[in-house]
Amino acid sequence: MLPATARYVSVAEARELLKGGKLGGIVDVRTPEEVTDSNHLPGARFVNLFVSNFDQSILNLGLDRTRPCLVYCALGGRAARTAARLDALGFKDVLVLQGGYEAWHRQSGELGP
């Protein structure tokens, strides 16, 4: 269950938010083994959910916690867990990409960088 400050967004909605420059940040919480130079959303910052200093790593990104922050993983489960952590860190609008990177890749075909 997502905290009150978070909601799921579709690939189409995430794409529109990206194009419109509406996001304060994009966070990819997959492991380093899952990420390559070409399989991520444009502008994504990487923080492995499983590192011991995850909260500090998120804060070190310097994201604007008052603007929407899109978070994703491979399928969506870790991103949903991350939403609670971001809420606790003071993020006011957390957007969880429904279906994760796999849905993005299947539905949009757009890859980073």
Side-chain angles (χ1 to χ4, degrees):
M1 183 167 192
L2 297 179
T5 57
R7 66 184 173 92
Y8 288 101
V9 294
S10 67
V11 168
E13 186 177 355
R15 194 177 320 123
E16 288 305 312
L17 290 164
L18 275 167
K19 287 180 184 174
K22 305 277 190 212
L23 298 173
I26 305 166
V27 180
D28 182 336
V29 295
R30 294 178 293 165
T31 63
E33 295 79 25
E34 294 174 284
V35 179
T36 68
D37 288 340
S38 63
N39 76 341
H40 55 86
L41 275 65
R45 310 281 295 277
F46 304 97
V47 179
N48 181 352
L49 176 61
F50 301 117
V51 295
S52 61
N53 63 342
F54 178 82
D55 291 356
Q56 189 58 52
S57 296
I58 288 290
L59 294 175
N60 288 346
L61 295 177
L63 303 174
D64 183 346
R65 290 182 257 179
T66 65
R67 294 182 60 210
C69 179
L70 178 67
V71 62
Y72 71 96
C73 60
L75 298 172
R78 286 174 283 176
R81 289 194 326 216
T82 300
R85 303 275 291 275
L86 295 178
D87 175 66
L89 291 171
F91 283 79
K92 303 299 182 203
D93 191 5
V94 179
L95 308 174
V96 177
L97 182 61
Q98 196 160 23
Y101 177 78
E102 293 301 320
W104 175 272
H105 181 65
R106 281 192 318 271
Q107 295 178 35
S108 89
E110 295 176 29
L111 303 174

